[in-house]
């Protein structure tokens, strides 16, 4: 049973910082990429940042230069350092992991989400 457990959300003032963490428990044969997505009320879930197993990163244009994604492969943990937070960053942030089973079947897992609220 694979689970993604997120932590680190909360309330912060505009201009402040937060760090989100997400740890994968259980086993995936190959983890290709882990990442963060966010969903604001009434909006669709959007990509924030992803990182591959060889540390290639991809960021949404709206967070580039402010957010940094990193990964500890030994701990199956991905982090999202968020700086210079803006009110428009307010959303539920979801951790994601995609990979392959031993039978080379593609799998995709989501965390339960953690709320980030930025007050202006």
């Amino acid at each position: 049973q694979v689970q993604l457990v997120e932590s680190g959300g909360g309330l912060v003032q505009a201009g402040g910082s937060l760090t989100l963490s997400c740890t994968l428990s259980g086993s995936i044969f190959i983890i290709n990429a882990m990442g963060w997505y966010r969903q604001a009320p009434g909006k669709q879930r959007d990509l924030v940042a992803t990182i591959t197993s060889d540390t290639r990163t991809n960021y949404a244009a709206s967070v580039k230069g402010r957010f940094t994604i990193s990964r500890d492969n030994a701990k199956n943990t991905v982090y999202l350092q968020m700086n210079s937070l803006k009110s428009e960053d307010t959303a539920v942030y979801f951790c994601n992991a995609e990979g392959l089973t031993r039978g080379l079947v593609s799998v995709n897992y989501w965390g339960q989400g953690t709320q980030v609220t930025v007050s202006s």
Side-chain angles (χ1 to χ4, degrees):
Q1 181 87 6
V2 174
Q3 285 187 313
L4 294 173
V5 180
E6 301 131 331
S7 61
L11 173 65
V12 64
Q13 288 188 328
S17 299
L18 278 177
T19 300
L20 305 182
S21 300
C22 171
T23 298
L24 185 150
S25 64
S27 180
I28 300 177
F29 182 55
I30 297 173
I31 301 174
N32 288 326
M34 297 183 73
W36 293 93
Y37 293 71
R38 66 186 181 188
Q39 187 167 18
K43 296 189 177 181
Q44 66 181 20
R45 189 175 298 186
D46 291 326
L47 168 76
V48 176
T50 60
I51 184 167
T52 64
S53 57
D54 56 355
T55 67
R56 285 177 288 130
T57 58
N58 181 45
Y59 293 93
S62 59
V63 306
K64 199 171 291 186
R66 299 188 298 123
F67 291 10
T68 301
I69 189 169
S70 60
R71 178 171 174 173
D72 185 333
N73 289 334
K75 296 181 179 179
N76 284 341
T77 298
V78 63
Y79 306 95
L80 186 68
Q81 174 68 44
M82 305 184 292
N83 298 325
S84 302
L85 283 160
K86 306 175 181 180
S87 58
E88 50 263 44
D89 295 318
T90 295
V92 178
Y93 284 69
F94 294 91
C95 179
N96 175 266
E98 59 176 280
L100 297 171
T101 67
R102 288 189 178 273
L104 301 183
V105 174
S106 295
V107 289
N108 195 297
Y109 296 98
W110 291 93
Q112 79 285 355
T114 185
Q115 178 70 46
V116 172
T117 303
V118 184
S119 63
S120 56

